[in-house]
Amino acid sequence: MPTDAKNSLWRPYTQMRTAAPPLEAVRTSGSRIVLADGRELIDGIASWWTAVHGYNHPHIRTAVAAQLEAMPHVMFGGLTHAPAERLASRLAALAPGDLDHVFFTDSGSVAVEVALKMAAQMWLNRGIAGRSRFLAFRGGYHGDTMGAMSVCDPEEGMHRRFGAYLPTQVFCDLPRDDATADALDRALAEHGDTLAAIIVEPLVQGAGGMVMHAPETLARVARAAERHGLPLIADEIFTGFGRTGTLFACEQAGIVPDILCLSKALTGGTMALAATIARRPVFEAFLSDDPSAALMHGPTFMANPLACAAANASLDLFETEPRLEQARDIEIRLAEGLSGLRGLPGIADIRVLGAIGVVQFARAPDLAALKARFVEQGVWVRPFGDIVYLTPALTIAPDDLDRLCEAVAHVVRTSADTEAAP
Ligand SMILES: *Cc1c(COP(=O)(O)O)cnc(C)c1O
């Protein structure tokens, strides 16, 4: 088997000894990825669901090119610039309620780190010690850095490997019913005065397996946080910017989290940028005559002007083009396109929410074989764990989406796991 082990590049989540070498991409446009050998793939996952407007959108390219001429980067300590000022005020206006105070970083994991630090330091600034742990939900994923890893699902791989380095948090099941809601309340009653915040992925636990929950479940989490006087951190890094059919998933539950994390689609899939947005009461805990009460974080490339220009251009597109309608149209088409797989032997579940379509196997399939077969079908789809999912660009052409659904249906129907089943 050809391997990647002699290459200088060390790849993510990749066993470098045995993994097949990656495919070389040379060009993208719309929902297409062009490979070095000339093959063209229909993209079913929009580069980890970042490229919501499709690749190479001219409006974003123009904005980034203009910013590149004027000022690609400048430090954010002591200086400010129009792209960041404008983006912060636009995000504050779009985010629910009084989520008005925007702190920029450069990746989703770091946005989560900042949210955790914000919550912990908020208590210290209020003169309350001992609140340094977090309540998180089983099945969650919040990133790869230490703090973010510590609030990821406690049974998943990284936790087991790095357990010795990680702070221990409190884990509960999402309160989908009365029993789990009671268990959450009991955990909050028991640990509440050691907790700084609750963190949740609204409506969809993404990298944990694209597992969805009802808006009422999210509303229960928000009510529990309120009852126990804890801030709620909503990690909308996956769900933000239309993926679930509304601009933010929190809107569907009518809740306003105390801290909101955004990244992934923030720049329309073009540049690394993230935002941690706080409600006024959180922000006000940092206002003081004491310099050490300031938020103690500041990445070198925070609020990078190129990335802010891309994000502003992306927000323009949400204003001028019907992205949320497109997400809802995709939902209907995905539901239709995947419905034929429901009930097949070897298939545990088919689920769709907004522009997210998921096929879950009864047991984990041979992922490498599945991935190769999708490429043979001319589509870019990356199954993980026990699922195959589609999170296309919100602008994907209906024909392309149908072809993606057909490819998923074909590959799933003819995969060994479903064939072998009685
Ligand atoms: C991707 C993701 C992260 C981590 O973002 P990175 O930019 O990869 O660090 C955190 N939370 C959620 C919900 C995500 O989907």
Side-chain angles (χ1 to χ4, degrees):
M1 185 176 193
T3 75
D4 218 8
K6 293 210 176 70
N7 198 304
S8 303
L9 272 173
W10 197 338
R11 302 181 53 74
Y13 294 105
T14 302
Q15 175 41 257
M16 298 297 292
R17 184 200 281 267
T18 55
L23 303 173
E24 184 183 348
V26 289
R27 242 183 357 267
T28 51
S29 81
S31 284
R32 302 300 169 106
I33 299 172
V34 181
L35 301 180
D37 61 12
R39 279 181 294 173
E40 197 175 294
L41 304 178
I42 301 176
D43 185 357
I45 54 179
S47 283
W48 284 323
W49 48 94
T50 59
V52 279
H53 315 291
Y55 295 111
N56 309 28
H57 195 290
H59 183 64
I60 300 181
R61 273 162 44 206
T62 306
V64 173
Q67 187 60 43
L68 187 61
E69 288 299 317
M71 182 171 68
H73 185 65
V74 69
M75 66 184 285
F76 212 55
L79 294 171
T80 190
H81 50 78
E85 297 282 347
R86 177 142 183 270
L87 181 59
S89 62
R90 291 174 87 183
L91 290 173
L94 289 171
D98 60 348
L99 281 160
D100 284 347
H101 301 277
V102 182
F103 191 91
F104 288 117
T105 54
D106 33 30
S107 78
S109 299
V110 177
V112 169
E113 296 289 338
V114 169
L116 302 178
K117 283 172 77 172
M118 243 178 213
Q121 197 182 338
M122 178 197 82
W123 291 106
L124 294 174
N125 284 357
R126 289 178 181 168
I128 298 166
R131 286 181 170 270
S132 54
R133 300 164 77 204
F134 295 87
L135 186 139
F137 294 98
R138 294 195 186 90
Y141 173 79
H142 299 287
D144 290 357
T145 52
M146 287 296 182
M149 260 201 294
S150 78
V151 287
C152 291
D153 185 278
E155 301 301 325
E156 286 304 309
M158 294 203 298
H159 237 286
R160 268 186 263 129
R161 291 215 167 73
F162 294 106
Y165 297 99
L166 298 180
T168 37
Q169 315 293 14
V170 178
F171 290 95
C172 284
D173 291 324
L174 279 165
R176 292 172 191 274
D177 54 23
D178 289 345
T180 43
D182 288 346
L184 174 60
D185 253 329
R186 282 197 304 275
L188 286 168
E190 185 183 345
H191 302 287
D193 55 3
T194 71
L195 295 176
I198 299 176
I199 183 165
V200 67
E201 285 166 278
L203 299 193
V204 192
Q205 293 182 310
M210 307 273 173
V211 180
M212 295 147 189
H213 56 264
E216 176 54 20
T217 298
L218 178 60
R220 276 195 204 108
V221 173
R223 287 197 298 268
E226 192 163 351
R227 265 199 309 283
H228 293 270
L230 285 170
L232 178 65
I233 301 170
D235 177 353
E236 291 230 25
I237 293 167
F238 173 46
T239 52
F241 301 104
R243 186 52 60 186
T244 66
T246 46
L247 193 61
F248 302 111
C250 283
E251 294 168 25
Q252 294 182 41
I255 66 154
V256 181
D258 299 281
I259 301 174
L260 175 67
C261 300
L262 301 173
S263 185
K264 291 258 166 52
L266 174 56
T267 64
T270 58
M271 313 271 300
L273 185 69
T276 306
I277 310 181
R279 289 185 60 192
R280 200 166 320 224
V282 175
F283 177 73
E284 279 172 356
F286 291 78
L287 302 182
S288 159
D289 296 328
D290 173 7
S292 74
L295 179 61
M296 291 299 173
H297 206 94
T300 305
F301 280 97
M302 84 178 281
N304 171 255
L306 290 172
C308 290
N312 275 311
S314 176
L315 293 185
D316 294 343
L317 293 172
F318 275 97
E319 286 171 9
T320 57
E321 298 185 6
R323 287 293 173 270
L324 300 182
E325 281 159 46
Q326 288 169 322
R328 291 190 281 262
D329 290 345
I330 291 173
E331 177 168 35
I332 293 166
R333 249 187 150 77
L334 281 172
E336 272 174 22
L338 300 177
S339 65
L341 297 171
R342 200 178 293 281
L344 277 189
I347 299 300
D349 190 29
I350 305 291
R351 50 184 179 268
V352 173
L353 176 66
I356 308 164
V358 184
V359 177
Q360 185 174 2
F361 292 94
R363 57 195 168 88
D366 177 347
L367 292 174
L370 274 191
K371 286 173 187 169
R373 296 194 57 217
F374 280 119
V375 173
E376 283 164 22
Q377 294 290 313
V379 300
W380 184 241
V381 176
R382 303 281 291 172
F384 70 90
D386 58 359
I387 65 164
V388 173
Y389 72 95
L390 295 174
T391 52
L394 302 180
T395 53
I396 191 166
D399 285 356
D400 280 354
L401 185 54
D402 290 346
R403 275 193 59 195
L404 284 168
C405 289
E406 283 159 19
V408 168
H410 176 75
V411 169
V412 166
R413 278 177 191 281
T414 55
S415 81
D417 290 63
T418 47
E419 265 181 357

